[in-house]
Amino acid sequence: MQKFLREWLKIRNMHLFFPYVIGAICVLLFVIILIQRAIKCKKTGTPFINFKGYHFFRPNYDKVKLWGSLILFILYIITLPILHFAWTSVIFIFLFNVLFEMKPGKLFEFKSVLISAVIALASSWGVWYLFYQVFNITLP
């Protein structure tokens, strides 16, 4: 076991450390959720898997924000190799901010669009500068 850990924790394998830790945490949380579900079902006398009357989404959920976010995320992934990190992030952070600032039946306010643009520019270029100049790590 000690030999395995020594080999696994070498510099060439360090990029795998956090994905394994996060994966282990996710598995642990999933097991906890299953145990809580089993206890609740035992107390109430309901079956563990019960699809009768089950709804995946809450009634009257915001369809525009949910599906808009999913579409924007997929487009971000597709656009990332084309425009690279900084410009793609500026565009999509702006679009996400505008999407979540939308109010039903109301047009965009100039102030909120301007704030979204400032946030998109500052956060994207700030992250790029931090990684590229300070940490000397190139982003895609």
Side-chain angles (χ1 to χ4, degrees):
M1 181 70 171
Q2 212 173 28
K3 185 178 179 182
F4 169 75
L5 284 174
R6 206 173 313 129
E7 180 65 28
W8 189 72
L9 291 174
K10 285 189 176 177
I11 284 293
R12 68 174 179 259
N13 295 327
M14 288 308 289
H15 66 284
L16 299 173
F17 179 73
F18 283 108
Y20 281 122
V21 169
I22 291 171
I25 291 170
C26 287
V27 167
L28 178 68
L29 291 174
F30 183 69
V31 169
I32 290 170
I33 289 170
L34 289 177
I35 291 170
Q36 288 177 337
R37 173 79 177 157
I39 291 170
K40 180 181 176 186
C41 289
K42 187 170 182 168
K43 283 182 181 177
T44 59
T46 58
F48 187 77
I49 299 174
N50 185 14
F51 292 116
K52 186 177 181 182
Y54 177 77
H55 297 286
F56 188 75
F57 297 113
R58 291 181 181 166
N60 300 323
Y61 72 98
D62 194 343
K63 294 173 180 70
V64 173
K65 289 181 183 168
L66 175 72
W67 298 111
S69 297
L70 184 63
I71 291 168
L72 282 176
F73 181 66
I74 291 168
L75 289 174
Y76 178 77
I77 294 170
I78 292 169
T79 312
L80 193 58
I82 300 166
L83 297 178
H84 304 292
F85 174 79
W87 288 113
T88 306
S89 295
V90 168
I91 293 167
F92 283 92
I93 288 174
F94 174 76
L95 292 174
F96 273 108
N97 282 340
V98 168
L99 176 68
F100 280 93
E101 186 61 31
M102 286 175 36
K103 308 255 187 301
K106 207 174 182 188
L107 291 176
F108 303 112
E109 296 176 7
F110 178 75
K111 182 180 175 182
S112 66
V113 172
L114 182 63
I115 290 171
S116 295
V118 170
I119 290 171
L121 286 167
S123 61
S124 298
W125 287 102
V127 168
W128 175 84
Y129 182 81
L130 178 71
F131 277 87
Y132 187 72
Q133 296 294 333
V134 177
F135 298 131
N136 199 20
I137 299 172
T138 58
L139 296 171

